[in-house]
Amino acid sequence: MSTNLGKLFEFMSLIGQLKRVKRTGWVLKNVTDPESVSDHMYRMAMLSFLVDPKTGINKDRCIKMSLVHDMAESIVGDLTPSDNVSKDEKFIREEKAMQHITSLVGDEASQEMISLWKEYETQSTAEARFVKDLDRFEMILQAAEYEQLDGRPKALQEFFDSTNGKFQSPQVKEWVEELKRIRQENHKNDKT
Ligand SMILES: Nc1nc2c(ncn2[C@H]2C[C@H](O)[C@@H](COP(=O)(O)O)O2)c(=O)[nH]1
Ligand SMILES: [Mn+2]
């Protein structure tokens, strides 16, 4: 197998690892059958399709950024705020991982993935800020679903508390309010 093909298959394997990296936040809360990092990124990519065209936010770039934003976790793992790893240290680890993963593919793909990842990490564009909103919204949506699935109302309140007030997109803010209304309704029904 030529070196290039060998590197491509190493890339494919590393990306495949994201299907097996469970999201640590759910593991720590003992939810049933916690999702993987790729599950999380997939729904974010699908939510990107819903971006309001009137915002001028580039939908395709959001889809790509969603699919790239946590790919370093195939090597670094899924670090949570409770892991006490500083933002700087987390960035250093993830940047090193991104350099390695993208070194396995051609220059064009490599530069695009690195550029998308850095744009997200630096929150330097409207697309990056929208995708960060999707990252937080997808997490609380998943938290509400786990509460329902596991019959543990409000068990994951901390995920809602830690994202409170951090959403910037009016569109996503509306989704957050609707999600909280549905969650409250479900909680009321659970009591009856
Ligand atoms: N227990 C908590 N875990 C949290 C919280 N906020 C995020 N997280 C978890 C969720 C993921 O497993 C990980 C980071 O996710 P990224 O998408 O940013 O890589 O941290 C929280 O408030 N409590
Ligand atoms: Mn994420």
Side-chain angles (χ1 to χ4, degrees), residues 50-66:
L50 308 178
V51 65
D52 181 349
K54 290 195 294 300
T55 61
I57 288 171
N58 183 315
K59 175 182 68 182
D60 293 344
R61 194 158 183 82
C62 291
I63 294 168
K64 289 180 179 179
M65 198 180 290
S66 294

Side-chain angles (χ1 to χ4, degrees), residues 19-173:
K19 297 188 203 183
R20 292 180 291 280
V21 176
K22 298 294 183 189
R23 288 255 287 164
T24 310
W26 310 132
V27 173
L28 293 176
K29 299 301 278 187
N30 299 307
V31 306
T32 307
D33 189 23
E35 65 168 349
S36 68
V37 174
S38 58
D39 292 329
H40 159 65
M41 294 197 286
Y42 173 73
R43 178 148 66 174
M44 283 176 61
M46 293 310 293
L47 292 175
S48 299
F49 277 90
L50 308 178
V51 65
D52 181 349
K54 290 195 294 300
T55 61
I57 288 171
N58 183 315
K59 175 182 68 182
D60 293 344
R61 194 158 183 82
C62 291
I63 294 168
K64 289 180 179 179
M65 198 180 290
S66 294
L67 292 172
V68 161
H69 88 285
D70 279 344
M71 71 186 259
E73 296 183 9
S74 63
I75 291 175
V76 174
D78 180 36
L79 297 171
T80 74
S82 62
D83 282 325
N84 294 322
V85 173
S86 72
K87 281 190 178 167
D88 289 350
E89 174 59 23
K90 182 173 183 278
F91 182 88
I92 290 167
R93 290 185 197 176
E94 291 185 349
E95 187 178 43
K96 190 165 172 248
M98 285 300 288
Q99 295 295 353
H100 174 66
I101 299 168
T102 58
S103 72
L104 301 166
V105 299
D107 286 348
E108 187 180 341
S110 171
Q111 283 159 24
E112 183 174 21
M113 290 180 210
I114 289 279
S115 158
L116 285 160
W117 179 78
K118 284 213 169 131
E119 185 176 322
Y120 177 80
E121 284 297 313
T122 56
Q123 289 289 285
S124 53
T125 61
E127 285 74 16
R129 291 185 287 275
F130 183 75
V131 171
K132 187 67 182 175
D133 268 7
L134 295 184
D135 183 59
R136 293 183 173 126
F137 174 75
E138 201 283 330
M139 182 179 73
I140 61 173
L141 175 60
Q142 188 59 66
E145 288 170 351
Y146 282 140
E147 288 176 337
Q148 275 298 100
L149 288 165
D150 288 351
R152 296 167 63 195
K154 302 288 175 128
L156 302 175
Q157 181 61 39
E158 69 180 84
F159 294 84
F160 291 83
D161 296 343
S162 69
T163 54
N164 249 345
K166 292 188 178 164
F167 295 94
Q168 299 182 47
S169 153
Q171 184 178 13
V172 177
K173 283 181 181 176

